[in-house]
Amino acid sequence: MSALLELTFVLLALASCRGLQDSGIDEEPELVFQPSKFGSLWPLPQKVQISEVSFKLSPSNFQISDAKESRSGSSCSLLQLAYRRYYDYMFEGVKKVDRSARADPTELLELQVWITSPDTECDSYPTVSSDESYELSVDQPVAVLKAPKVWGALHGLETFSQLVYEDEYGAKSINYTTISDFPRFAHRGVLLDTSRHFLPIKVILANLETMAMNKFNVFHWHIVDDPSFPYLSKTFPELSRKGAYHPYTHVYTPADVKMVIEFARLRGIRVVSEFDTPGHTQSWGKGQPNLLTPCYSGSKPSGTFGPVNPILNTTYDFMRKFFKEVSSVFPDSYIHLGGDEVDFTCWKSNPDIQKFMEQQGFGKDYSKLESFYIQRLLDIVTTTNKGYIIWQEVFDNGVKLKPDTVVHVWIGSGTNSEMSNVTAAGYTTILSAPWYLDYISTGQDWQKYYKVEPLSFNGTEEQKKLVIGGEACLWGEYVDATNLTPRLWPRASAVAERLWSAKEVTDIGDAYSRLSVHRCRLVERGIPAEPLSPSFCPHEYKGI
Ligand SMILES: *[C@@H]1O[C@H](CO)[C@@H](O)[C@H](O)[C@H]1NC(C)=O
Ligand SMILES: *[C@@H]1O[C@H](CO)[C@@H](O)[C@H](O)[C@H]1NC(C)=O
Ligand SMILES: *[C@@H]1O[C@H](CO)[C@@H](O)[C@H](O)[C@H]1NC(C)=O
Ligand SMILES: *[C@@H]1O[C@H](CO)[C@@H](O)[C@H](O)[C@H]1NC(C)=O
């Protein structure tokens, strides 16, 4: 970053004081841009030391390659593709001069990538227990990136690219640096909702790209819900034919889904699909007769439908076939089964359901009926050899869960007693309650997300170990391809650092300075991430 730019940031930050007061958030401390000793690294690595010694890099002389000692060989296309991607990010728009031009003797010539473990996992899918660690040393003439697995190498490449900056004459530079890094939490996710609005594949891929730039590693695909069913099922094609907004233009074909999964894998990202039942299923009913419960008005069916009908054997036959397909389409070892917000009104109105409740001895407790359904669903999914993630209500209602179930906490704000309860019962947990990014407000609300401490609930050390991470959720009521990216980024970046960096990384001023430049980097890479405050980027967004 040039000295001029730094100065301008400071001046703009001072000038913005009035604007902040006008927008009613004057209780937030005023943040002033000051160059961080950590440059523009985001999320901040666990251990980092950047010196004042700097080297130049030129597009004609610099290259990224496999270290001779690397176990990856040269056949790992995941790495080769990443080398090309990061080379392009670093030198986008910089003219390549004649190759025969002699390198400056102080130039950095090469980044060597060294995968140290015999099983590089180049052709595997990332999992919740993947090793994502790496070590990076930038020295002249060669920088070395060491990682046990390809996943750490991907993160290290991102970090390396974040160390490259433009000096005051616009020349690409990098400082002598040593970094040793690994994530604090294993599950760092972003939820997108493709039911309330259809999201074109292009937008999903752009989001995966941005996730990788923030070291997120889980794409939670909330693929279907009440409004539409865009997932094209090979077993039950009627579901999307009748339940999607449009049967051809607003669906995800098997090829689309495959593309998303592979694009994500190449960036170290898991794709966890969510097929939420028994509530949130209106769109399922259009293509699958008798799946939903008919609601009654007095003694007659009213013509409307409620949650999945839990009293019919055909329901479970359907779910068995459907989840058999889902479990083979999505390679991740977890499926998100939803289970949130089940409205009992329709079940209560239906005389067949009432009779069933009586037979089962459930009394008037409809959460017992919900548990009856979920229990059978979980048994079905267990036979596919997948683990499951469920929204917190399933736990709250006392459903018997497998010990490896992941409970997703979303109700309330901050970290609450639900976290204590779930972990006290011995379940693995992921947190989203403080990170519903669809709730928008003016001002720098990223600070609110940043200040969350996921382990601040009451509990023993054993309980805290059960928290494997969290997810930023962007529900789709008011979000489609037009506004998804600027609404999500860089607000989700705040969550990314909270989940990756050490617990002690809480300096909001330093975060502001790094995030300001990180956001400009996203913009320079063509991502329309919204601004944090009055300021400018050296390379502004050029539009589409
Ligand atoms: C990198 O080196 C330059 C030139 O010595 C120095 O001005 C800058 O502060 C260094 N960057 C960091 C993040 O230490
Ligand atoms: C549903 O399945 C159960 C258990 O297999 C069986 O006892 C019951 O008769 C079946 N109900 C109907 C309506 O087929
Ligand atoms: C956690 O458990 C306690 C004791 O059972 C209960 O009082 C409290 O309401 C629970 N918290 C939540 C958020 O359900
Ligand atoms: C933790 O427990 C203490 C004592 O039981 C209570 O006073 C406090 O409010 C609890 N804190 C949280 C965050 O739940």
Side-chain angles (χ1 to χ4, degrees):
M1 158 155 326
S2 74
L4 178 64
L5 174 59
E6 283 161 17
L7 180 66
T8 313
F9 258 119
V10 174
L11 292 177
L12 286 173
L14 290 173
S16 73
C17 177
R18 225 183 103 77
L20 285 179
Q21 281 173 359
D22 289 347
S23 63
I25 51 161
D26 48 351
E27 70 277 7
E28 293 289 353
E30 182 191 326
L31 299 177
V32 176
F33 181 87
Q34 278 184 324
S36 165
K37 66 175 174 181
F38 303 119
S40 63
L41 292 174
W42 194 279
L44 191 67
Q46 300 287 339
K47 273 195 210 139
V48 45
Q49 214 159 14
I50 306 180
S51 88
E52 305 247 308
V53 177
S54 70
F55 318 117
K56 299 275 177 282
L57 302 85
S58 77
S60 5
N61 297 321
F62 181 76
Q63 59 173 1
I64 308 175
S65 54
D66 301 305
K68 272 200 274 316
E69 308 88 332
S70 181
R71 312 299 289 259
S72 64
S74 54
S75 61
C76 175
S77 61
L78 176 146
L79 286 178
Q80 301 303 324
L81 290 167
Y83 299 167
R84 196 180 311 164
R85 203 160 62 239
Y86 280 102
Y87 178 92
D88 287 347
Y89 286 151
M90 288 185 280
F91 298 112
E92 192 79 71
V94 181
K95 273 206 198 74
K96 247 186 164 174
V97 288
D98 184 4
R99 263 238 171 233
S100 63
R102 284 211 337 185
D104 183 311
T106 63
E107 239 180 75
L108 179 66
L109 297 179
E110 195 173 1
L111 171 63
Q112 294 186 352
V113 179
W114 179 356
I115 308 295
T116 57
S117 140
D119 180 12
T120 66
E121 297 183 9
C122 177
D123 297 312
S124 317
Y125 290 96
T127 72
V128 70
S129 52
S130 289
D131 187 334
E132 298 179 280
S133 67
Y134 68 94
E135 280 174 24
L136 180 60
S137 82
V138 179
D139 200 351
Q140 199 270 332
V142 173
V144 178
L145 168 59
K146 257 193 198 181
K149 309 282 178 185
V150 292
W151 318 119
L154 291 172
H155 294 314
L157 285 164
E158 174 60 38
T159 300
F160 181 86
S161 75
Q162 294 188 358
L163 288 169
V164 175
Y165 62 96
E166 279 179 12
D167 73 5
E168 55 210 292
Y169 306 105
K172 297 287 179 179
S173 312
I174 191 166
N175 291 15
Y176 178 92
T177 299
T178 49
I179 286 176
S180 161
D181 201 11
F182 56 87
R184 180 179 174 205
F185 292 104
H187 185 116
R188 306 178 308 281
V190 170
L191 175 150
L192 298 184
D193 164 8
T194 55
S195 170
R196 292 178 174 93
H197 285 94
F198 180 78
L199 298 174
I201 289 292
K202 210 174 123 183
V203 173
I204 294 177
L205 301 187
N207 182 64
L208 289 166
E209 195 86 85
T210 318
M211 284 173 65
M213 295 171 195
N214 290 272
K215 298 188 170 67
F216 273 111
N217 67 354
V218 179
F219 169 37
H220 175 166
W221 194 350
H222 187 87
I223 191 165
V224 301
D225 202 301
D226 285 326
S228 78
F229 196 104
Y231 172 76
L232 199 163
S233 161
K234 280 189 255 188
T235 324
F236 299 101
E238 293 295 293
L239 287 170
S240 62
R241 210 173 72 75
K242 301 219 170 102
Y245 283 130
H246 186 283
Y248 306 122
T249 59
H250 287 53
V251 294
Y252 301 110
T253 64
D256 291 335
V257 172
K258 238 186 178 147
M259 190 199 298
V260 168
I261 293 168
E262 180 62 6
F263 193 93
R265 185 188 81 81
L266 292 172
R267 286 154 186 80
I269 299 171
R270 299 162 54 201
V271 177
V272 174
S273 61
E274 178 183 354
F275 289 89
D276 191 357
T277 68
H280 291 278
T281 46
Q282 288 296 306
S283 68
W284 301 53
K286 295 183 181 159
Q288 186 62 22
N290 302 323
L291 180 65
L292 302 185
T293 308
C295 313
Y296 277 66
S297 167
S299 59
K300 289 200 190 77
S302 67
T304 62
F305 294 88
V308 165
N309 192 337
I311 69 170
L312 300 179
N313 288 349
T314 51
T315 291
Y316 302 100
D317 297 338
F318 167 81
M319 292 296 170
R320 196 169 294 111
K321 288 188 192 128
F322 184 73
F323 279 102
K324 184 163 178 242
E325 171 182 322
V326 166
S327 69
S328 73
V329 168
F330 292 91
D332 198 78
S333 47
Y334 282 86
I335 302 180
H336 202 304
L337 296 174
D340 59 320
E341 297 181 311
V342 183
D343 182 356
F344 297 147
T345 323
C346 179
W347 280 351
K348 284 179 186 167
S349 76
N350 181 305
D352 297 326
I353 301 250
Q354 290 163 9
K355 207 159 81 199
F356 185 82
M357 292 280 290
E358 227 164 81
Q359 283 166 1
Q360 297 287 328
F362 291 164
K364 299 266 174 254
D365 186 354
Y366 283 81
S367 70
K368 289 205 170 119
L369 181 60
E370 180 186 352
S371 299
F372 171 87
Y373 167 80
I374 297 270
Q375 198 69 70
R376 293 192 64 177
L377 179 69
L378 297 188
D379 292 344
I380 286 169
V381 173
T382 302
T383 65
T384 67
N385 283 324
K386 296 280 185 183
Y388 38 75
I389 306 177
I390 40 93
W391 293 109
Q392 70 176 74
E393 287 98 317
V394 177
F395 165 80
D396 295 343
N397 290 338
V399 174
K400 192 172 96 240
L401 299 166
K402 278 194 301 181
D404 64 343
T405 301
V406 179
V407 179
H408 197 164
V409 172
W410 70 278
I411 297 174
S413 62
T415 53
N416 48 37
S417 74
E418 180 79 6
M419 295 290 282
S420 309
N421 291 4
V422 171
T423 53
Y427 293 111
T428 304
T429 309
I430 51 181
L431 178 68
S432 279
W435 292 321
Y436 267 38
L437 271 55
D438 49 311
Y439 294 134
I440 53 172
S441 54
T442 188
Q444 300 200 33
D445 61 358
W446 67 271
Q447 295 181 32
K448 185 174 70 186
Y449 309 132
Y450 191 76
K451 287 174 183 163
V452 171
E453 169 42 52
L455 304 187
S456 66
F457 62 89
N458 279 337
T460 63
E461 278 311 301
E462 282 309 302
Q463 276 174 266
K464 310 238 159 152
K465 279 195 196 127
L466 291 167
V467 181
I468 56 166
E471 292 183 359
C473 300
L474 192 68
W475 296 99
E477 281 86 348
Y478 307 102
V479 175
D480 71 3
T482 62
N483 61 352
L484 182 140
T485 305
R487 187 162 291 196
L488 186 57
W489 306 102
R491 293 162 77 230
S493 303
V495 182
E497 176 150 305
R498 183 52 54 235
L499 294 173
W500 178 282
S501 304
K503 184 177 181 181
E504 298 72 33
V505 178
T506 53
D507 181 338
I508 199 89
D510 185 65
Y512 172 73
S513 298
R514 285 183 291 112
L515 187 56
S516 299
V517 190
H518 178 58
R519 180 255 156 181
C520 282
R521 176 168 44 237
L522 298 182
V523 167
E524 190 174 351
R525 292 179 182 182
I527 295 146
E530 69 177 17
L532 298 179
S533 61
S535 62
F536 81 102
C537 292
H539 304 276
E540 296 286 4
Y541 185 61
K542 295 195 189 68
I544 35 166

